[in-house]
Amino acid sequence: MESLTQIRRIILTLLMAGFALLMIMPFIWMISTSFKSPADVFTYPIQWIPSSLNWEHHIKVWSGADTFATYYLNSLKISLISTVGAVFLSAFAAYGFARIQFKGRETLFLIYLSMMMVPPQVLFVPKFLMFEWVGIYNTHWALILPGMFTIFGVFMLRQFFLSVPSEISEAAFIDGAGHLRIFFRLILPLAKPALATLAIIDFSWHWNDYENALVFLIDKDLYTVPLGLQNFILENNVDYNGMMAAATAGIIPMIIVFLVGQHYIIQGVAGSAVKG
Amino acid sequence: MHKSWMKRQSRLGYLFIGPNMIGVLLFFIIPAVYSFYLMFTDYKFMSPETNFVGLDNIRRMLNDDLFVVALRNTFVFLLAVPVSMGLAFIVAVALNKSVYWQKTLRALYFMPYITSGVAIAFVWMLLFQPTSGPINGFLRGIGITNPPGWLSTTEWSMYAIDIIWIWFMLGYNMIIYLAALQEIPEELVEAARIDGARPWQTIRQVIWPLVSPTTFLLLITGLIMTIKNFGIIQAITQGGPGNSTTVLSLFIYQNAFRYYEMGYAAAISWALFAIIMIFTVLQWLGQKRWVHY
């Protein structure tokens, strides 16, 4: 009986591993194609291991006039500043919503809630006009400034702050501490895992954000990784190996972030959906 | 004393929320209000003058054949949501307890979801290559002599996008299902087993009903997420061939930033909002009926 369930378990594992392999097949094909010679791209049966390693496609992606090095730097700058700003500003607001009683709190929170329903398409045109008027259209600020405000972040951290027992801050109140002190000395340190989760998820959004970059950036030297990738492919649309080398360059950073912060990402995604 | 304490609390509350609220006001509320105004104008980028045109944009939208096409494509796009959820449920049940290497397998399934949509768009573009691409190579290999033209044909392009989207969302749906499965008390499943239920019966009659609130939530949030998305389609097909992959969200982008019909784009974007609103109300009602704490 015991061994029977074990066999069943092994079979199921193999089945699920096979399906998982199918899921990541596009990535494997992408990487292997990026090293193939042009003649081998579409040979069938598929050549999973290239007959010889051709580095030239990767070299092409990383050198030349429009290089991925520039796109990486731009993306890194935008994603880092936005994320740090978003985490800090969200934490501040979330504390206010979760822990301070003030007039109009419920109404304000409802307005925040309703803003989550507004699709980004509604906001694109007015933001485009606004940014042009202020003079930040086609600069990184057009992505960084709005990126520092995430309604999702406020929701997520508010939920976390609500779960911190009120006895903790009550004791501090009796000792004469104010909200500011409680926030910085007590709540923020306690919230480190939640802050890390938000930071990783937010960073991945900014890194992968294609739509905003598409609307607000024109100059090639300002391009982020997704836009740079698109640009590369438009200019090299017959070079399939080069396309796959570029796609690889576009994906690798997020895979690294994912491997490092897997636990936080999965936890954050699971938590966010359950809470709506 | 109580009154002044309340006042102090209020001031502190605004101090905490203020910085974030300024941003939300500038980048969400004001643009939303402005877009609402634009819907009633004939604003075109760089146009000499802007006129108030009342409901003209909305009338135009309802008579626009392309709007109808975009709406239909959007619904075909949305088909990916339940399909992806079904597959994700099966994977989640399998990965919940009964397999080895759980963590690794979870990570593998989740991988597509964290990668850049544009990068995978280009990978799939080559995979779907009609004459020499690996997918059709495989299909010919198993004896299908005339495989679909996928992204290059108007009949199949939207379904090809669906396949990509099913693949992309699967890991996300799986993680949420796993979270729900872990909430199910062990005793319930155990009791069913003792009563002689087969694994399949347990899944259908015990587990599936117990995760139904999650199913509903995933369905609605998935529909909302999908309806907003256009990046992946813009990157692969730009709405083509013909207009066979022009979904509503892409149609808005094209009107605004390709044709600079910004008033018209604003009107369509509020139609999109209306659809999202319907889903949100459904979710709200559903929560009352299905989600029991």
Side-chain angles (χ1 to χ4, degrees):
Chain A
M1 188 68 202
E2 191 60 21
S3 67
L4 190 77
T5 54
Q6 207 157 28
I7 289 169
R8 200 181 276 161
R9 227 176 137 176
I10 291 170
I11 293 172
L12 197 61
T13 303
L14 290 177
L15 223 87
M16 293 324 285
F19 192 46
L21 212 61
L22 204 70
M23 286 285 290
I24 59 161
M25 209 94 99
F27 298 126
I28 301 174
W29 189 80
M30 168 189 82
I31 293 169
S32 99
T33 304
S34 72
F35 286 105
K36 284 177 193 163
S37 68
D40 288 341
V41 172
F42 289 135
T43 47
Y44 194 85
I46 298 168
Q47 243 185 44
W48 290 105
I49 298 164
S51 48
S52 64
L53 280 188
N54 289 290
W55 284 95
E56 60 202 277
H57 317 299
H58 290 276
I59 293 168
K60 183 178 175 185
V61 164
W62 287 95
S63 58
D66 305 311
T67 146
F68 264 69
T70 315
Y71 308 146
Y72 265 57
L73 276 179
N74 290 338
S75 276
L76 206 63
K77 172 186 157 196
I78 293 168
S79 306
L80 274 180
I81 303 178
S82 301
T83 303
V84 170
V87 170
F88 188 74
L89 288 167
S90 304
F92 232 76
Y95 182 87
F97 277 124
R99 292 266 167 168
I100 306 175
Q101 284 287 345
F102 61 89
K103 240 175 98 180
R105 189 175 74 164
E106 309 308 315
T107 319
L108 273 178
F109 196 65
L110 213 69
I111 293 174
Y112 266 62
L113 216 132
S114 64
M115 280 300 125
M116 273 179 122
M117 275 191 300
V118 176
Q121 285 81 2
V122 167
L123 308 174
F124 277 147
V125 171
K127 268 158 77 180
F128 171 83
L129 299 173
M130 258 171 70
F131 293 170
E132 185 142 79
W133 183 62
V134 187
I136 60 168
Y137 173 68
N138 194 27
T139 71
H140 285 160
W141 290 112
L143 299 184
I144 293 173
L145 283 178
M148 289 176 26
F149 303 94
T150 148
I151 294 177
F152 164 81
V154 177
F155 274 92
M156 197 195 121
L157 292 180
R158 172 181 170 268
Q159 209 67 32
F160 180 83
F161 294 159
L162 283 174
S163 72
V164 176
S166 57
E167 287 82 25
I168 293 182
S169 38
E170 266 157 26
F173 270 129
I174 291 166
D175 292 344
H179 274 300
L180 273 170
R181 203 164 188 190
I182 290 172
F183 174 70
F184 281 110
R185 294 282 171 79
L186 268 174
I187 303 285
L188 271 195
L190 272 175
K192 264 183 202 156
L195 297 176
T197 304
L198 176 61
I200 290 176
I201 291 182
D202 202 61
F203 184 88
S204 81
W205 279 344
H206 289 299
W207 188 275
N208 290 332
D209 178 20
Y210 167 62
E211 285 94 335
N212 280 300
L214 189 68
V215 173
F216 298 122
L217 297 180
I218 311 172
D219 294 345
K220 276 184 192 161
D221 56 325
L222 296 177
Y223 277 8
T224 56
V225 170
L227 269 194
L229 185 61
Q230 190 204 29
N231 181 51
F232 181 92
I233 280 159
L234 286 176
E235 288 179 359
N236 299 276
N237 61 5
V238 283
D239 175 8
Y240 295 142
N241 308 90
M243 279 171 77
M244 291 303 99
T248 309
I251 282 174
I252 293 295
M254 272 326 296
I255 293 200
I256 295 170
V257 169
F258 178 60
L259 292 178
V260 174
Q262 208 196 104
H263 169 75
Y264 289 119
I265 291 185
I266 288 181
Q267 184 188 309
V269 165
S272 67
V274 175
K275 276 134 203 169
Chain B
M1 186 208 155
H2 183 70
K3 216 170 188 177
S4 74
W5 182 80
M6 274 297 284
K7 243 188 184 155
R8 218 180 104 71
Q9 283 278 304
S10 275
R11 257 211 322 267
L12 265 169
Y14 298 134
L15 181 76
F16 270 91
I17 294 175
N20 191 285
M21 221 165 62
I22 292 170
V24 170
L25 195 72
L26 278 177
F27 301 118
F28 291 89
I29 297 174
I30 291 175
V33 173
Y34 191 43
S35 163
F36 195 76
Y37 157 77
L38 281 177
M39 167 162 63
F40 302 106
T41 70
D42 63 356
Y43 183 79
K44 291 185 177 68
F45 187 52
M46 307 264 243
S47 61
E49 57 181 312
T50 301
N51 306 304
F52 190 82
V53 297
L55 298 177
D56 276 7
N57 283 322
I58 295 165
R59 232 172 270 135
R60 175 178 165 191
M61 180 175 81
L62 296 174
N63 291 313
D64 187 344
D65 290 341
L66 260 180
F67 174 76
V68 180
V69 169
L71 200 63
R72 204 185 50 219
N73 290 339
T74 303
F75 282 111
V76 179
F77 193 22
L78 292 179
L79 286 179
V81 176
V83 177
S84 180
M85 282 169 57
L87 287 172
F89 176 73
I90 297 168
V91 174
V93 170
L95 291 194
N96 188 26
K97 280 191 189 72
S98 30
V99 301
Y100 300 100
W101 314 326
Q102 276 177 33
K103 278 209 163 139
T104 316
L105 286 175
R106 274 177 212 181
L108 289 181
Y109 283 102
F110 196 65
M111 196 87 86
Y113 189 70
I114 50 115
T115 53
S116 142
V118 185
I120 58 169
F122 293 120
V123 178
W124 279 97
M125 208 163 94
L126 293 194
L127 291 174
F128 272 132
Q129 242 273 331
T131 45
S132 43
I135 289 177
N136 277 357
F138 171 77
L139 290 177
R140 279 191 205 95
I142 59 166
I144 298 170
T145 46
N146 202 2
W150 301 116
L151 293 162
S152 61
T153 51
T154 49
E155 302 87 10
W156 284 94
S157 51
M158 206 55 229
Y159 297 103
I161 304 264
D162 270 332
I163 292 173
I164 304 171
W165 197 243
I166 289 166
W167 171 81
F168 182 75
M169 294 284 289
L170 198 134
Y172 173 83
N173 290 327
M174 177 206 67
I175 291 296
I176 312 287
Y177 265 132
L178 269 171
L181 290 174
Q182 271 150 19
E183 300 275 301
I184 294 179
E186 195 68 44
E187 302 88 63
L188 280 174
V189 180
E190 194 56 21
R193 203 179 64 85
I194 289 167
D195 289 343
R198 293 169 164 279
W200 172 241
Q201 283 176 314
T202 316
I203 290 170
R204 259 199 58 181
Q205 287 166 11
V206 181
I207 297 178
W208 178 251
L210 280 172
V211 297
S212 63
T214 307
T215 302
F216 181 71
L217 191 98
L218 272 181
L219 181 69
I220 302 290
T221 51
L223 294 176
I224 295 177
M225 234 188 284
T226 306
I227 210 169
K228 283 185 197 171
N229 182 281
F230 73 94
I232 228 168
I233 301 178
Q234 164 69 18
I236 308 188
T237 64
Q238 274 114 45
N243 286 300
S244 62
T245 55
T246 304
V247 292
L248 221 49
S249 53
L250 182 66
F251 189 52
I252 298 166
Y253 169 78
Q254 288 175 341
N255 271 299
F257 299 105
R258 196 190 285 173
Y259 311 125
Y260 294 115
E261 293 265 10
M262 291 178 159
Y264 187 42
I268 314 164
S269 69
W270 283 100
L272 191 73
F273 172 80
I275 301 174
I276 291 177
M277 185 79 175
I278 293 169
F279 289 140
T280 308
V281 169
L282 278 178
Q283 181 179 351
W284 188 72
L285 292 174
Q287 233 157 24
K288 288 192 162 171
R289 278 186 57 186
W290 276 294
V291 184
H292 305 288
Y293 291 107

